[in-house]
Amino acid sequence: MSVARALADMALRRCLRGEALEREALLELLAVPPASDEALYLRHAAHKAALALDGGRAYLWGALGLDYTPCPMNCAFCSLGEAWKLIDAPRSYTETEIIAHARAYVAAGARFVVLRTTQFYDLDALCGMLAAIRKAVPGGYEIILNTGEFDADAALAVRRAGSSGVYHTIRVREGRDTAFDPDVREAAMLAAVRAGLRLVALVEPVGPEHADQELADCFLRIMTTGASISGVMARVPVPGTPLGDQPPLSPARLAQLAAIFRLAGGGRLAGVCAHPAALENMTAGANIVVVEKGAIPRDSAPSERDWQAFSAAGAVRLLRRAGYAVRDGDGREIEDNLCMRNGETSMTATEAENHVQIVRPEHCGARVIVLVQPEERRLSLPRPKTARQLLEALGLAEETALVARQGELLTPDRRIWPDDELLVRKVASSG
């Protein structure tokens, strides 16, 4: 066994025992090449941890950017920076519009409704809006605020108004790519925790320019503040911003970081989020998916519909494909047809699927997703090397079933790759 795989096994054992990783182990994991077999092994170890620690539960996060207005803080990665002059027509959402969006998110099964603002949004107005949402939209969902700096008194005020938590973090290269003081950010995070608010803090916005040491130090500092949800958010290059011409983070690196932060948290995290969402993140230990509308700091225009056409229904299907049971704020499991009843009509019948059945969950190596027809069963299997080995794993003879990948039939000797999504269609009795 390689050193990297042994390290992943150690991290998994410690995570399941509730033990966080030290900086040295964190750096060793971060140094694993993201596209390697060892990184895949690490990702599957983190997926196993997520299924064990969170009981297979996952959650939907519905965010609304309240004000598409120029912000004088001018973060180098944010489209809302006043100095970048990207905003032609400022827009702020009314209380009526905000309540309507919150109601739609809750109806779609969101556990978290997130209200995001620019730095200097009026806090009294925000507290009034919180109370109005709570009055108009019943349910056990959580309202999370993502707003400017605040002190102990402000933290207590937003809690009394109906917020259960805040999103606030120390960004990577805080004070360099931003005009914020990292110590001031940390003070606000600690004030939130002391006020009894849930603290959500991701390592963000991450790009390929960030060194392993920066990422490790950022995550470890976040964990000292008492964050109960963490994870990773990629930096999305926005043309016209100072970092707009920098390359984005690779999908493999994003999934690897989700896995590392899941394991490094030592079981102390109630959830792990990776954004933007992708199946490889959800099968690498992330169990919270974000959908968003309104003012988006990663886009040069407000989004009146789901950002990048990624809907609540799509988020639910993504999480279910990764083997999770998606729960709303009242603890009820969200079925795909619930999203259909609430206006998400793009789902086809074949997408209304059961949970992915995890075969041999103790296997932390590469895996594949297999749809078996006509039963319409979805399985997560340890990756076989060929189509022939896949049929053998399913107990099927070669002459009784067809194997396909992305519409292409595979001969028995064709290779199967990690994270492949395959179709196995029975064509005759296996006797």
Side-chain angles (χ1 to χ4, degrees), residues 63-76:
L64 177 67
L66 304 191
D67 56 332
Y68 181 69
T69 56
C71 176
M73 299 309 293
N74 295 322
C75 297

Side-chain angles (χ1 to χ4, degrees), residues 30 97 304 344:
L30 288 164
E97 291 174 311
E304 300 303 325
E344 300 279 5

Side-chain angles (χ1 to χ4, degrees), residues 8 20 22-23 27 73 95 106 120 156 161 235 256 261 285 306 413 417 423:
E22 297 81 9
R23 186 174 187 271
L27 288 172
M73 299 309 293
E95 183 178 291
V106 172
F120 298 108
L156 289 171
R235 176 182 52 71
Q256 180 194 27
F261 298 147
D306 299 309
D413 60 342
W417 306 105
L423 170 69

Side-chain angles (χ1 to χ4, degrees), residues 368-371 383-392 394 397-425 427:
V368 296
I369 298 292
V370 182
L371 172 61
R383 172 213 165 198
K385 293 183 179 180
T386 65
R388 178 179 289 112
Q389 289 182 3
L390 172 60
L391 292 175
E392 290 173 356
L394 295 173
E398 292 179 22
E399 64 273 12
T400 66
L402 301 174
V403 179
R405 176 174 52 211
Q406 296 181 346
E408 177 190 6
L409 289 177
L410 304 183
T411 57
D413 60 342
R414 285 287 297 277
R415 293 281 292 177
I416 289 176
W417 306 105
D419 293 329
D420 263 349
E421 296 188 29
L422 303 159
L423 170 69
V424 173
R425 180 175 296 150
V427 294

Side-chain angles (χ1 to χ4, degrees), residues 54 229-232 258-259 261-262 269-274 282 285-289:
D54 295 322
I229 293 176
S230 190
V232 57
F261 298 147
R262 162 64 72 180
L269 295 173
V272 169
C273 177
M282 303 305 109
N287 66 332
I288 295 176
V289 169

Side-chain angles (χ1 to χ4, degrees), residues 1-19:
M1 176 179 289
S2 71
V3 173
R5 293 190 180 207
L7 182 61
D9 287 342
M10 177 275 293
L12 174 59
R13 289 192 300 270
R14 292 190 58 176
C15 182
L16 295 177
R17 292 198 301 262
E19 300 173 7

